[in-house]
Amino acid sequence: MKTFTTSLLCLVLSTTAYAATEKPVVDGRIIREVIKEISSDAYEGRGPATPAEDKTIAYISQQFQAHGLKPGLPGGQWYQDVPTVTITADPAMKLHVESKGNAFDLAYSTDVVLWTKRQEKHTEIKAADLVYVGYGIKAPEWGWDDYAGQDVKGKIVVIEVNDPGYATGDPKLFSGRTMTYYGRWTYKYEEAARQGAAGAIIVHETGAAAYPWTVVQSSNTGAKRDIDRDNKGMDRVSVEGWMTGESAVKIFSAADQDYAALKKSASTRGFKSVPLKVQGSVAFDNMITTSKSHNVIGILPGTSHADEYFLYTAHWDHLGHCPPVKGDDICNGAVDNASGVGGVIALAEAFAHGKKKTQRSVVFIALTLEESGLLGSEWYGTHPVFPLPKTVGGINMDSLQMIGPARDMIVTGAGKSELEPIFAKYVIAAGRTISPEDHPEAGHFFRSDHFSFAKVGVPMLDASGGLNIIGARPRYGRQQQEDYTALHYHQPSDEFNEDMDFMSAAKDLDLFYKVGLELANTRTWPNWYKSAEFRMVRDASLR
Ligand SMILES: [Zn+2]
């Protein structure tokens, strides 16, 4: 440890002066050009499976080709098909709850939001027992199993959002306030399905979920897009959903249980799930349609170890046409995520025009359907074009920081993988620092495409330019970021602007370039740390 610190210090001293004037390897003009092009109104906000998709993926593959990449798929193909299905549940449904001498209905949208991911015309659960499973977590590496000794087959499980570390703030429970994968709602449904439950309903709480009930409503009612899974979603629970905190109180009191007390005990070690002696019934019809979207994949084959891969990824899709604001109904997605696509293309150019070819192959992927729930990356993860155990790692870019030159970089979900010290080495060598993310409890690491790769074991880095802007007043960067989130994020006004700082973004990407360049030229295999939720998957995949 000591030698590491000393040598790192020498590195800092010898490179700081040089780093300040160093011209970026990554060309900021490419980032600008790509954003200006694909965030223009001609691309209609890049909605997947629309004519705008054809235009977008054609542009990206032409750029890949122009910058010297080879098509990533067999037969000289640039596009990986991503079959999708859209399931729309009939909103004329309710959750009927019955206990001894008590019966009531919970209304759709106001009290509960339910759906299915199974491709079935009709969904129905008849008088299934409800079981409170606390946080619904089975995590061997944390010695935690909420399902221990409880058979939930055919039953409806009621689950808390987030994890016990968040609830207690105890740094020794899971990752403390930092959300783990076990805290994500997606995990809750997956685990409930593995346990054989018929239904899984999460109790909403604004703080723990990091968003209000209105967001649960708007993102889960109406048409829900999913990938068209080989098993037609039949390995999922029949009914997934959310209920309000008030609905939970109502159900628990019908079962003569104190919800607040049970919720408290759920975050203590040794918690045992509780059958509620209450039955739930629900029935609804589904409208099902299918379509196809595409990931765009290019590669620079390596020299001596071409069958090993390093990835750069960014999603190309955005929201397409959206509710109009001041007469503008195109969500252009300039920052989110034309900028990330610009980053992938600029990195491709930097590698292709580098002096020396890399030993391992470098792969560049523009992913689809991120905005629909990380679906393009999930499809890739379950239908990998390059073998996952041969994929060394990768970096995902979702919304580049183009506010201005920052003294710092931010790593999201820090403390997970051995990619982080490699990245930190280059950050420090550039005379910069790494800042912690603002809201580790919000689980941002699980909210973009790198997570789909992590889930199948591939170590991924999620980092971005920091907010400590050189030459600006102290809160300037954070203020700009907050303004973007409040006024432009997922709005028609996320548009191209010449004031965006493409050159600073390129400097940030230089650090990503260096990490990829190092890993494309070594024999090492950085892994997840032992405590990371993806370590066991990776170890099994490498075996
Ligand atoms: Zn995005």
Side-chain angles (χ1 to χ4, degrees):
M1 197 60 199
K2 199 165 186 188
T3 44
F4 172 73
T5 317
T6 317
S7 62
L8 210 56
L9 191 64
C10 295
L11 196 63
V12 178
L13 294 175
S14 63
T15 55
T16 309
Y18 161 69
T21 52
E22 192 184 355
K23 194 172 167 288
V25 179
V26 175
D27 189 344
R29 290 169 304 184
I30 297 178
I31 301 174
R32 176 187 168 279
E33 226 171 85
V34 174
I35 300 175
K36 191 172 183 194
E37 176 71 21
I38 65 174
S39 73
S40 69
D41 281 357
Y43 287 79
E44 296 178 76
R46 303 184 306 280
T50 66
E53 159 158 0
D54 300 343
K55 196 173 161 73
T56 307
I57 63 175
Y59 174 79
I60 296 168
S61 60
Q62 280 156 17
Q63 288 288 310
F64 278 179
Q65 189 158 28
H67 291 303
L69 302 195
K70 302 261 178 299
L73 289 117
Q77 291 295 313
W78 294 101
Y79 309 129
Q80 178 184 34
D81 286 358
V82 181
T84 74
V85 61
T86 302
I87 307 178
T88 313
D90 187 342
M93 68 163 98
K94 54 191 189 288
L95 180 66
H96 180 73
V97 180
E98 240 179 302
S99 66
K100 224 191 267 160
N102 195 354
F104 57 91
D105 289 338
L106 292 171
Y108 182 72
S109 187
T110 47
D111 303 326
V112 288
V113 173
L114 305 171
W115 66 86
T116 189
K117 286 203 163 189
R118 294 186 178 184
Q119 292 182 38
E120 298 180 306
K121 288 220 150 41
H122 186 73
T123 299
E124 184 155 12
I125 296 180
K126 275 184 199 157
D129 288 333
L130 268 62
V131 182
Y132 179 61
V133 295
Y135 287 88
I137 295 172
K138 185 185 170 83
E141 71 275 36
W142 298 103
W144 196 281
D145 185 358
D146 288 322
Y147 288 97
Q150 193 66 244
D151 181 7
V152 299
K153 282 195 186 63
K155 299 174 183 171
I156 299 172
V157 292
V158 178
I159 316 170
E160 297 296 343
V161 68
N162 220 312
D163 66 36
Y166 170 83
T168 58
D170 179 351
K172 291 190 292 289
L173 274 185
F174 293 80
S175 293
R177 296 285 292 182
T178 303
M179 190 195 266
T180 62
Y181 169 39
Y182 299 108
R184 284 290 284 166
W185 52 274
T186 46
Y187 165 79
K188 314 281 183 182
Y189 300 133
E190 289 161 3
E191 190 57 49
R194 283 191 283 272
Q195 300 292 331
I201 306 178
I202 298 171
V203 183
H204 176 259
E205 186 205 307
T206 300
Y211 40 77
W213 179 251
T214 48
V215 171
V216 173
Q217 286 173 313
S218 63
S219 43
N220 293 302
T221 53
K224 277 183 79 74
R225 182 120 57 171
D226 198 357
I227 50 178
D228 189 357
R229 288 161 214 283
D230 302 335
N231 57 25
K232 304 295 165 194
M234 295 309 288
D235 63 339
R236 310 284 301 195
V237 294
S238 175
V239 173
E240 302 178 1
W242 290 81
M243 68 170 80
T244 60
E246 295 76 35
S247 303
V249 170
K250 215 169 160 187
I251 289 175
F252 281 67
S253 60
D256 285 327
Q257 295 279 0
D258 179 347
Y259 173 59
L262 275 185
K263 183 177 177 176
K264 195 150 189 256
S265 74
S267 58
T268 57
R269 200 168 273 288
F271 164 79
K272 286 205 165 33
S273 46
V274 183
L276 291 177
K277 299 194 178 86
V278 169
Q279 285 82 42
S281 303
V282 61
F284 53 90
D285 289 335
N286 302 297
M287 208 172 69
I288 301 170
T289 55
T290 56
S291 61
K292 209 191 277 175
S293 189
H294 302 87
N295 294 327
V296 189
I297 307 178
I299 184 171
L300 282 173
T303 51
S304 53
H305 295 88
D307 64 338
E308 296 172 4
Y309 311 88
F310 188 81
L311 311 179
Y312 289 102
T313 61
H315 72 89
W316 62 256
D317 67 297
H318 196 55
L319 307 174
H321 289 269
C322 53
V325 176
K326 290 184 198 139
D328 182 359
D329 80 331
I330 297 177
C331 274
N332 305 78
V335 172
D336 185 10
N337 188 30
S339 70
V341 175
V344 165
I345 292 170
L347 280 159
E349 191 270 347
F351 273 94
H353 295 162
K355 288 172 219 77
K356 260 176 61 197
K357 282 191 169 156
T358 56
Q359 294 165 21
R360 286 168 164 162
S361 298
V362 186
V363 175
F364 303 85
I365 313 179
L367 296 155
T368 185
L369 290 161
E370 190 273 348
E371 306 286 8
S372 312
L374 322 183
L375 299 180
S377 52
E378 183 182 343
W379 183 263
Y380 183 97
T382 50
H383 301 78
V385 173
F386 307 104
L388 300 174
K390 291 283 190 179
T391 303
V392 179
I395 297 176
N396 181 52
M397 286 154 278
D398 192 347
S399 301
L400 302 184
Q401 192 277 74
M402 298 181 289
I403 297 167
R407 291 183 190 87
D408 57 338
M409 292 290 291
I410 296 169
V411 172
T412 309
K416 284 194 195 302
S417 90
E418 293 163 357
L419 293 178
E420 292 166 37
I422 299 172
F423 178 61
K425 179 177 68 185
Y426 293 112
V427 173
I428 293 165
R432 301 174 67 177
T433 57
I434 291 187
S435 300
E437 57 183 316
D438 276 358
H439 296 286
E441 75 283 3
H444 284 292
F445 186 81
F446 311 107
R447 294 188 183 193
S448 188
D449 291 309
H450 43 269
F451 174 52
S452 295
F453 292 91
K455 245 172 121 175
V456 291
V458 177
M460 294 291 286
L461 182 72
D462 176 25
S464 61
L467 299 173
N468 190 350
I469 308 296
I470 295 167
R473 61 178 191 277
R475 272 202 46 89
Y476 174 78
R478 189 153 276 109
Q479 190 60 55
Q480 290 288 309
Q481 178 69 29
E482 284 165 9
D483 285 355
Y484 170 77
T485 307
L487 305 173
H488 309 299
Y489 172 73
H490 284 197
Q491 302 273 340
S493 58
D494 181 1
E495 288 176 323
F496 176 81
N497 180 339
E498 289 289 1
D499 292 339
M500 290 170 166
D501 189 338
F502 310 103
M503 296 308 148
S504 295
K507 273 199 170 170
D508 295 344
L509 295 197
D510 259 21
L511 303 169
F512 296 167
Y513 171 78
K514 286 170 180 164
V515 171
L517 190 67
E518 174 175 329
L519 287 171
N521 287 304
T522 60
R523 303 299 314 127
T524 57
W525 293 87
N527 202 338
W528 299 100
Y529 291 134
K530 283 237 155 54
S531 62
E533 38 293 56
F534 318 109
R535 172 64 180 252
M536 284 197 276
V537 185
R538 182 60 164 178
D539 287 350
S541 145
L542 294 177
R543 241 178 264 127

